[in-house]
Amino acid sequence: MEIDNIKFAMLGIYDKYKQGKISQEVAEYFVSHLDSVQRKNGVQNLSQVIYDYEHAEIGISFATVGKPYIFEEENSKLVRELFFMDQGEKYPIYLGDIIKLNKNVENRLEYFLEQGVYYPSVQAFHWGETDLENDKRRFRLLPMEELKKYRKYINDLINSRSVMKFGKDCPYHIEQKRFEAEMVEEWQKYMIKNQMAYRIDAYNLIGRNEAESEETSEIGDDERE
């Protein structure tokens, strides 16, 4: 049975736990999030939760005091945590790998994740020089730690989309890695087309710095030996 109703989803998760197909930790995580969103937001169906919050979104705050910082919109975070259990360096656990979700739910969730990669948005339908310059300035002022959040946010959305498409048991994650590379490439093409290549630079800068730090660490280890 394809599930959209939140109560049926919780029952389905509990049944998988009783069958020994998922751990108590995983079962409690998803049931608690489903119960919370049903009570606090007054919704009955999973599709309604995603529909209310059309896309994943982050923003950049410019406080009057202190440095600018990246933050995830609360509604965006709610949807992501409802469907995906974070596992740190591992791929997240997807609710749809535990119970069979309604196709409409999956389609909306796919759109939610894919669109989120292109945020934060430039607040104009027809972007002019002023809009782009302001956006470029935002990224230029972000400290390194906040740029790391930006890169991680994009990667988390792409990894979640990949898990949706190929499942958690794909051997060696070969298909996932190829799909993820394709999504990054499409994102880069969009950014270049819309004169926002500076976001690619921000994304790649973190990757380069992390790689350089690892190389420096390895050299230091070799010297100590």
Side-chain angles (χ1 to χ4, degrees), residues 67-85:
K67 296 179 180 179
Y69 60 92
I70 288 281
F71 67 95
E72 182 174 3
E73 298 286 352
E74 285 300 316
N75 293 335
S76 170
K77 186 177 180 181
L78 181 152
V79 174
R80 286 211 301 135
E81 292 182 347
L82 182 66
F83 287 92
F84 299 95
M85 178 179 172

Side-chain angles (χ1 to χ4, degrees), residues 164-181:
M164 281 190 69
K165 186 174 179 66
F166 294 103
K168 61 182 175 61
D169 296 323
C170 181
Y172 309 112
H173 303 296
I174 294 173
E175 287 87 350
Q176 276 108 323
K177 295 300 183 185
R178 185 180 65 247
F179 178 70
E180 288 158 17

Side-chain angles (χ1 to χ4, degrees), residues 122 127 131-140 147 150 191 194-204:
V122 175
W127 301 346
D131 301 308
L132 290 170
E133 284 303 314
N134 285 338
D135 189 61
K136 188 173 184 178
R137 176 176 170 271
R138 300 197 291 181
F139 275 83
R140 187 172 64 246
L147 286 174
Y150 177 64
M191 292 298 154
N194 290 280
Q195 305 174 54
M196 301 166 75
Y198 53 87
R199 291 193 180 185
I200 301 174
D201 294 337
Y203 178 90
N204 290 335

Side-chain angles (χ1 to χ4, degrees), residues 11-22:
L11 289 172
I13 292 167
Y14 181 73
D15 186 54
K16 294 293 183 182
Y17 166 64
K18 294 297 288 183
Q19 294 176 37
K21 294 183 177 180
I22 59 173

